Amino acid sequence: MTYLAAVIAMLLMTHSHADDKGKWTGMNKPLTDATYLVYSGESGDRRPPTNTDRKLAIAIRGQAAKEIFDAIGPDAKGVTCSLEDGERMRSKGEVWCSYTPSDGYMCFLGFNLRTGKPHSGGTC
């Protein structure tokens, strides 16, 4: 299974890891609070996509992000993106998530569309 397929499967099936969500059905759930960007360059210096450089960044918020956050724990120690009290961060491979009391849960992932290889999809 390719890395992309594995990440997509994780996104679609994180429901099985939620103890309080009832019986797992294996059905896909809508992903309503997400955005994406196709770009070139690096995550911190994005530019318009080119014929030779195209990357995909995906940002997920809300309940889906919480389910991913819960599935990839534990919290990273000593890593923060903001100065907000209560911030929590978690990551597995190139998937990383954060929680802040002001913004809630957010997860980021990305792929190089020319090679299929994963990358973080976002920066602090």
Side-chain angles (χ1 to χ4, degrees), residues 26-80:
M27 304 273 302
N28 291 353
K29 295 167 35 177
L31 187 58
T32 57
D33 200 1
T35 58
Y36 75 94
L37 177 67
V38 176
Y39 67 98
S40 69
E42 300 303 320
S43 291
D45 184 24
R46 295 176 178 172
R47 299 183 189 127
T50 68
N51 288 336
T52 58
D53 186 10
R54 288 180 185 263
K55 297 178 183 88
L56 171 65
I58 301 169
I60 302 168
R61 293 180 174 268
Q63 182 60 34
K66 181 184 184 322
E67 290 180 26
I68 297 165
F69 183 93
D70 290 344
I72 66 172
D75 288 2
K77 302 293 183 206
V79 179
T80 61

Side-chain angles (χ1 to χ4, degrees), residues 1 3 19 29 35 82 106 120:
M1 179 183 289
Y3 186 82
D19 294 335
K29 295 167 35 177
T35 58
S82 73
M106 290 183 67
S120 65

Side-chain angles (χ1 to χ4, degrees), residues 88-100:
R88 299 169 59 200
M89 298 195 61
R90 295 181 175 182
S91 67
K92 279 283 194 255
E94 297 296 333
V95 178
W96 67 277
C97 298
S98 67
Y99 169 80
T100 57

Side-chain angles (χ1 to χ4, degrees), residues 13-24 29 63 66-68 70-71:
M13 295 190 298
T14 54
H15 178 68
S16 65
H17 296 289
D19 294 335
D20 61 342
K21 297 296 180 193
K23 185 178 177 186
W24 184 76
K29 295 167 35 177
Q63 182 60 34
K66 181 184 184 322
E67 290 180 26
I68 297 165
D70 290 344

